[in-house]
Amino acid sequence: MDPALTTRPGLVVRTPHTAPALASARPRAAGPRPATAAGPPSPSQDTLDRGFVRVAQRHPDAVAVQEVRGELSFGKAELWSTRLASMLMHADLQLGDPVIVHCDDHRQALLAQLAVLKAGGVCVPAAYGLGLPELRAIGAVSAASTVLCSSSTRETWARRHTTLALDHPETWRRITTHRLEPALPLSHPAEAAYLLVAHGGPGGPTGHLVDHRAWRLAVAERIRTAGPAPRRVFVAGPPASPAALSAMWWAFAGGASLRVMPTAGAPAEGHGTLSAAVCSPEEYEALVDALPIRPRLVQLVGGPVPAGLVNRHFTALPGTRLRADLAPSDGVLPWITREFTPTGKEPSPRSLGTPVSKVQVRVLDDRGGPQTAEQPGELCATGPALPFSTVRLPGHTTPAWEDAPLLRSGLSARRYPDGTLELADPPAPTA
């Protein structure tokens, strides 16, 4: 294993509690795991991890992730995630079981996610830096019994979960003692790949189940609207954050690498470097006036773009494209996309843009019916490029009219007769 990934002590593996597997609403066929290796996946049966395998086979030495503490190639990520997936299977991880990923390093987070997907589990990302209430909510909503973590995050989970620290040499010594499973990968495009837990809202924390096909549709839409990822895709947020998840699968789809944004004061990359930055609007607000890179594209993903941020962008980076994907339910999978242009006047902060392919956007009244044109209602969405099911804490109910796949944004919006969508209330101005 790359020594840069194994620099800290603290491996603890504890006996897991008996916890119910995540109810994914998509049952698999009963029976034992297959004993023989599956053939090469066809293009119609693609998963996130199989797409990564293809890139790793073509470019094993290319950099997949670069951190301040080191880098990880596609080939090594493929090899070590397969070993980790084999260990998870030998530890009795079942198909569809949720596994929390809570790492302080993007390389560790990538290995963990790939391993869970290969073993047929469901990734439950917990962004590094979240507070204890949010982490407890992730554990409660997912009912996960296993956490793939770093030494710095292990103590949060150690009392009630099986914890495996991915930055300790003993972890990888244990992993290498397990035989490689010939049945890997066990992921399937129609099965859940992620449980994305959203915090806040009147119903409390909510988990959104996303299958491989929905995620790949979202990536294809990013490629269609923003273009293929350039050679380097930078993120400002921590590992497993919504923006980091959005950035990594866009990058890996084209063999690009995920890079951590340089710290303030670091030498800025030249204008000739092909790069993009993926941030939440809140992250970009803090960076826009002194961005330490010079990307050809800034891609925002998450909530509405604050008023004034667009003009700040074109003042600081007049030659850089600015796009925004509205992903209000989970901060990752977009509902609506928009490209901004330097028009010389303040763009309307209320205009939302165009719904992405395979997503149906609705404006509903308080009873769940279509709202009258130009009247405010809640912005909601459904479609194959979005989560297919919702998981809530016990005791939290939803309105009787709510359809299971329907996602609610909590945003008030208007739809005009020509199909144009805009927020009923403009985003807060930039500080």
Side-chain angles (χ1 to χ4, degrees):
M1 184 60 186
D2 188 337
L5 290 177
T6 57
T7 57
R8 297 178 179 174
L11 170 68
V12 173
V13 180
R14 302 180 186 270
T15 303
H17 289 254
T18 301
L22 189 64
S24 67
R26 295 192 180 182
R28 286 183 177 269
R33 296 176 186 266
T36 58
S42 68
S44 62
Q45 294 186 342
D46 219 357
T47 60
L48 294 169
D49 50 294
R50 284 171 175 163
F52 189 93
V53 168
R54 286 199 301 277
V55 176
Q57 290 172 341
R58 293 196 303 265
H59 308 289
D61 297 327
V63 175
V65 178
Q66 186 173 70
E67 271 266 4
V68 174
R69 290 171 281 185
E71 62 184 34
L72 180 66
S73 70
F74 278 91
K76 286 186 177 180
E78 168 58 20
L79 171 64
W80 288 101
S81 64
T82 300
R83 290 189 177 277
L84 179 55
S86 298
M87 181 181 183
L88 293 174
M89 288 181 61
H90 299 155
D92 206 28
L93 180 75
Q94 300 297 305
L95 295 171
D97 278 357
V99 178
I100 295 170
V101 176
H102 188 206
C103 300
D104 64 10
D105 185 298
H106 288 273
R107 299 165 300 161
Q108 296 167 25
L110 170 59
L111 291 178
Q113 292 171 73
L114 285 173
V116 174
L117 296 177
K118 290 180 178 188
V122 179
C123 293
V124 186
Y128 181 66
L130 283 178
L132 189 57
E134 289 81 8
L135 295 175
R136 286 177 174 169
I138 288 172
V141 170
S142 68
S145 61
T146 302
V147 181
L148 300 180
C149 58
S150 304
S151 297
S152 65
T153 61
R154 179 188 56 79
E155 285 303 318
T156 303
W157 312 97
R159 291 186 178 181
R160 298 187 178 183
H161 297 77
T162 299
T163 58
L164 190 64
L166 300 184
D167 55 359
H168 193 282
E170 179 61 23
T171 300
W172 297 100
R173 282 195 288 270
R174 292 193 179 200
I175 288 172
T176 54
T177 64
H178 292 268
R179 62 181 175 85
L180 293 177
E181 279 292 335
L184 294 173
L186 294 179
S187 54
H188 187 277
E191 297 296 331
Y194 281 85
L195 177 69
L196 305 174
V197 179
H199 305 278
T206 302
H208 302 291
L209 280 165
V210 187
D211 60 25
H212 290 264
R213 289 189 296 201
W215 206 292
R216 290 187 66 83
L217 284 171
V219 171
E221 178 69 6
R222 171 74 57 76
I223 293 172
R224 185 185 71 83
T225 56
R231 291 173 52 194
R232 300 175 182 181
V233 177
F234 287 89
V235 289
S241 66
L245 295 172
S246 176
M248 63 181 278
W249 291 116
W250 178 45
F252 298 156
S257 65
L258 184 73
R259 306 286 177 117
V260 174
M261 190 79 70
T263 56
E269 292 211 3
H271 288 272
T273 303
L274 295 179
S275 66
V278 179
C279 310
S280 69
E282 296 77 13
E283 290 167 347
Y284 194 48
E285 276 194 278
L287 290 171
V288 59
D289 297 319
L291 196 66
I293 62 172
R294 292 296 179 265
R296 70 177 186 182
L297 168 67
V298 172
Q299 174 69 61
L300 306 180
V301 61
V305 177
L309 182 57
V310 176
N311 279 354
R312 288 176 61 196
H313 165 84
F314 286 113
T315 298
L317 300 170
T320 298
R321 293 172 63 197
L322 177 65
R323 294 190 54 81
D325 287 345
L326 181 68
S329 62
D330 49 47
V332 182
L333 298 179
W335 299 14
I336 298 171
T337 188
R338 179 183 181 186
E339 177 143 3
F340 296 94
T341 57
T343 59
K345 61 181 181 180
E346 182 72 17
S348 170
R350 299 190 182 194
S351 178
L352 289 174
T354 305
V356 304
S357 299
K358 309 297 183 181
V359 171
Q360 294 80 50
V361 177
R362 308 171 185 174
V363 177
L364 304 182
D365 61 24
D366 57 6
R367 293 177 296 177
Q371 182 59 285
T372 306
E374 301 186 29
Q375 294 301 308
E378 185 175 10
L379 188 70
C380 301
T382 187
L386 293 178
F388 67 85
S389 188
T390 299
V391 181
R392 289 181 172 82
L393 290 171
H396 289 270
T397 59
T398 58
W401 56 262
E402 184 173 311
D403 188 18
L406 186 68
L407 295 177
R408 304 179 62 184
S409 70
L411 299 175
S412 180
R414 293 184 176 90
R415 184 190 292 274
Y416 289 90
D418 63 358
T420 303
L421 291 161
E422 73 171 25
L423 291 173
D425 300 310
T430 301

